[in-house]
Amino acid sequence: MSILTQNKMSELFNLIIAKVSNNLSELTYPQGSVNGVFDYVNVIENISEVTYEAARVLLESTIEEMDYKFRYSQHRVNQFYVKCKRTRTLITPFGKVNINRTIYLDRITGKTYCYVDKKLGLPKYDRYDPCIKSMLLSLYADHNSMLKVGRIVGEKIGNAYSLSNNDSFTISRQTVFNSIRNAKMFDVSSPKQKTPTTLYIMADEKYVHLNTRKNKMVKSAVVFEGIEGSKRRVVTNKYHVMGMREMFWETVADVLHERYDAQKIKQIYFIGDGAPWIKESTKFVSLESVKSKFLLDKFHFKQALNRITKDKDIQAILQENILECQDESFDKLIGIIRSNNLERLDSINQQVKYLKNQQRSIRQAYKHNISCSMESSISHTLASNFTRNLKAYAQDNLEIYVNHRMNHLNGYNLKLLYLQGLSVNDYNGIKSLKSSDVDWSIFEKKKHQTKFDAKLYIQALIKMYD
């Protein structure tokens, strides 16, 4: 390490020690003024400021040390000429850093080469480092505003806490958009689960506005293993599958094969509102020696009855007629309702046709006593992000957002997926992360990791640079 860098580090740590000591002495002085919680906040702000300042200098010095060692290595001398020194400015979680690194020329090809950028995997011309971009992608998967995401992440840059409104690092909507769009979609492996004998798959769709003044159907299915609870019932071990492309049910079938041992599954119940694409599920998600049944969501059954008549007693009779296969009695009662509601004939006829087409699936739903929460699921998973506010999307962009939303709901670490995707080429807009030769073990939690002691670390650094 150069003498200049050593002096810089030493001066920094001396400044940190002096500043922290000064603040602590003022705070601990018995006759000092009492400001209550603001004394505590002042300590937090000062420690945060000096900590992040130390982190920025340490980052700059570490990268410059990397560049220095490579420049004077035999490998560099044999393969590259030194061209020039060039400073690159990056905005990192610690704040803005200026990195002085060397640009080289390949002795054989004559192409420029930057060891530091290559070693650290920093994309060319990016102002924000990969950590910031991964934060943007991860946060937008749970928010519906790029402006809000840019502001939230910007406030986290360079300071853990501050009373002042720090908008110097606020990230523009365009930067958030570019970061998410360039990440593409992620195709990830579904973790293996203990296989139950019975599985449930509920499905529905949401129409999202496109910038072509058309609507696009986003299909959603939730695979789960059962329902628990009495007052507040929840589905167990659920897994979301969302998509806009053809062969949606084939994708669901792939998920089942990845998560479970297909030979141990005996029964699959499909639950939905009776749309043709949902009823087709039993044809495409077919496993050997597995019985498949489609059940109509009870909510849509009762909704159809309510649209025919508002009278609760008549609704109860119609429900009993359908469940008990009393077609003649059902038709007579419907005839009476029609004669008394001539102005609503079209609506009544439409609902009657719907109920007659779904009679078998209605009976199956009550026979097996299976409820469906897909309406609330669609509201919380898709509507909250894509249709609750007035918006219109480009279809390609919407597909990316839905993919990231799905991975977020399934509990994947989107920051990790983004970093993995930087080294993977996309095919048809999808980056497959199911198999990779890259070793990502550095991101895994170590079983016997020694606890980090910040105080000892700072003391060691001061001793090293004195």
Side-chain angles (χ1 to χ4, degrees):
M1 182 173 290
S2 65
I3 299 300
L4 178 62
T5 307
Q6 293 184 39
N7 292 336
K8 185 177 181 182
M9 291 289 292
S10 181
E11 290 175 4
L12 172 68
F13 286 118
N14 289 333
L15 177 64
I16 291 173
I17 293 172
K19 189 168 185 177
V20 173
S21 299
N22 183 51
N23 290 335
L24 289 176
S25 63
E26 292 180 359
L27 181 67
T28 56
Y29 187 63
Q31 277 73 40
S33 58
V34 178
N35 298 313
V37 70
F38 288 100
D39 280 333
Y40 174 77
V41 172
N42 185 46
V43 173
I44 293 292
E45 285 187 308
N46 284 312
I47 292 177
S48 172
E49 180 184 347
V50 296
T51 301
Y52 277 79
E53 185 178 354
R56 288 192 293 271
V57 174
L58 187 58
L59 177 60
E60 292 175 354
S61 301
T62 301
I63 296 177
E64 289 176 10
E65 178 73 4
M66 289 171 50
D67 183 71
Y68 177 84
K69 289 184 176 180
F70 177 77
R71 178 169 180 171
Y72 292 98
S73 67
Q74 190 61 43
H75 171 68
R76 197 283 304 168
V77 173
N78 295 337
Q79 191 171 351
F80 300 100
Y81 293 111
V82 174
K83 181 181 179 181
C84 62
K85 271 275 193 180
R86 193 174 296 166
T87 301
R88 179 174 184 177
T89 300
L90 271 179
I91 297 179
T92 72
F94 304 135
K96 184 183 294 184
V97 297
N98 297 309
I99 304 170
N100 294 315
R101 74 265 200 273
T102 308
I103 308 298
Y104 305 97
L105 288 177
D106 192 293
R107 289 179 180 269
I108 299 174
T109 64
K111 294 183 179 180
T112 58
Y113 175 78
C114 181
Y115 169 75
V116 167
D117 289 1
K118 188 72 173 178
K119 173 78 172 177
L120 299 179
L122 299 176
K124 293 182 179 179
Y125 314 119
D126 278 1
R127 184 186 178 198
Y128 294 91
D129 77 346
C131 296
I132 296 294
K133 291 193 171 185
S134 68
M135 293 167 65
L136 296 174
L137 185 143
S138 178
L139 194 60
Y140 186 68
D142 199 31
H143 287 70
N144 60 5
S145 170
M146 292 186 181
L147 287 173
K148 186 184 297 183
V149 168
R151 184 173 65 252
I152 293 173
V153 175
E155 289 176 352
K156 294 181 179 180
I157 296 176
N159 207 326
Y161 181 83
S162 177
L163 286 178
S164 60
N165 294 324
N166 181 20
D167 57 358
S168 57
F169 290 111
T170 298
I171 302 172
S172 68
R173 180 192 180 280
Q174 188 64 43
T175 299
V176 178
F177 168 79
N178 291 337
S179 301
I180 299 171
R181 178 103 170 60
N182 294 337
K184 305 295 182 182
M185 294 186 288
F186 302 132
D187 183 20
V188 296
S189 298
S190 178
K192 206 72 176 177
Q193 303 291 321
K194 183 179 179 180
T195 305
T197 56
T198 303
L199 280 177
Y200 305 85
I201 302 176
M202 54 185 183
D204 203 354
E205 74 282 337
K206 189 67 182 178
Y207 285 91
V208 181
H209 301 299
L210 299 181
N211 56 10
T212 57
R213 298 187 178 181
K214 297 181 180 180
N215 293 332
K216 184 64 179 180
M217 182 171 69
V218 179
K219 298 176 181 178
S220 175
V222 179
V223 180
F224 61 100
E225 299 173 7
I227 302 175
E228 294 180 348
S230 54
K231 292 184 179 180
R232 183 178 178 84
R233 308 190 73 189
V234 295
V235 297
T236 58
N237 207 10
K238 62 182 177 180
Y239 191 88
H240 296 265
V241 181
M242 299 176 179
M244 299 162 52
R245 301 186 179 186
E246 298 297 328
M247 302 179 68
F248 175 79
W249 287 114
E250 285 81 353
T251 304
V252 176
D254 291 341
V255 169
L256 294 183
H257 282 284
E258 285 186 6
R259 287 175 66 83
Y260 304 105
D261 184 352
Q263 296 179 350
K264 296 181 180 180
I265 302 174
K266 302 302 179 183
Q267 179 77 61
I268 299 180
Y269 292 105
F270 296 89
I271 317 166
D273 59 6
W277 75 270
I278 300 179
K279 297 183 77 173
E280 289 178 348
S281 58
T282 55
K283 300 178 182 178
F284 293 101
V285 186
S286 56
L287 305 175
E288 294 183 6
S289 69
V290 176
K291 295 180 180 179
S292 298
K293 290 183 180 180
F294 174 76
L295 285 60
L296 185 75
D297 180 5
K298 294 179 182 179
F299 167 80
H300 289 92
F301 171 46
K302 294 180 179 180
Q303 184 184 61
L305 293 176
N306 191 59
R307 289 173 177 173
I308 292 174
T309 177
K310 302 297 183 183
D311 190 298
K312 299 300 181 183
D313 294 331
I314 298 178
Q315 288 181 17
I317 297 172
L318 290 174
Q319 177 175 324
E320 182 181 355
N321 290 339
I322 292 176
L323 296 180
E324 300 297 331
C325 302
Q326 300 171 356
D327 295 340
E328 185 177 349
S329 176
F330 178 83
D331 291 337
K332 287 182 180 179
L333 187 53
I334 289 297
I336 297 173
I337 296 173
R338 284 171 175 159
S339 62
N340 293 327
N341 297 273
L342 297 176
E343 73 283 358
R344 293 196 305 112
L345 280 180
D346 290 342
S347 175
I348 293 174
N349 291 336
Q350 183 180 0
Q351 300 305 318
V352 170
K353 181 180 179 181
Y354 174 77
L355 291 176
K356 288 193 171 184
N357 289 337
Q358 307 293 339
Q359 285 186 76
R360 183 178 179 181
S361 55
I362 292 171
R363 294 171 190 140
Q364 291 290 340
Y366 280 84
K367 177 182 177 181
H368 299 285
N369 193 26
I370 298 175
S371 301
C372 176
S373 58
M374 197 61 195
E375 287 295 319
S376 61
S377 176
I378 283 287
S379 176
H380 288 90
T381 59
L382 287 175
S384 60
N385 279 51
F386 302 111
T387 62
R388 189 157 293 172
N389 296 333
L390 188 59
K391 289 184 178 182
Y393 300 87
Q395 181 169 320
D396 292 344
N397 297 338
L398 175 62
E399 192 172 20
I400 294 174
Y401 304 153
V402 169
N403 174 263
H404 294 166
R405 177 66 174 163
M406 175 185 69
N407 288 324
H408 168 75
L409 293 170
N410 288 331
Y412 290 100
N413 186 337
L414 283 177
K415 289 186 284 189
L416 177 57
L417 294 182
Y418 174 83
L419 297 174
Q420 290 177 341
L422 292 177
S423 59
V424 177
N425 294 325
D426 67 285
Y427 175 74
N428 200 16
I430 301 176
K431 292 183 176 182
S432 178
L433 305 179
K434 289 186 176 180
S435 59
S436 176
D437 295 331
V438 182
D439 181 13
W440 300 107
S441 60
I442 61 172
F443 295 100
E444 299 176 359
K445 187 176 181 180
K446 305 299 182 184
K447 293 183 179 180
H448 303 289
Q449 188 173 10
T450 304
K451 186 178 180 181
F452 177 74
D453 192 323
K455 183 177 180 181
L456 292 177
Y457 181 65
I458 293 293
Q459 291 176 352
L461 286 173
I462 295 172
K463 184 178 180 180
M464 182 173 62
Y465 292 111
D466 278 344

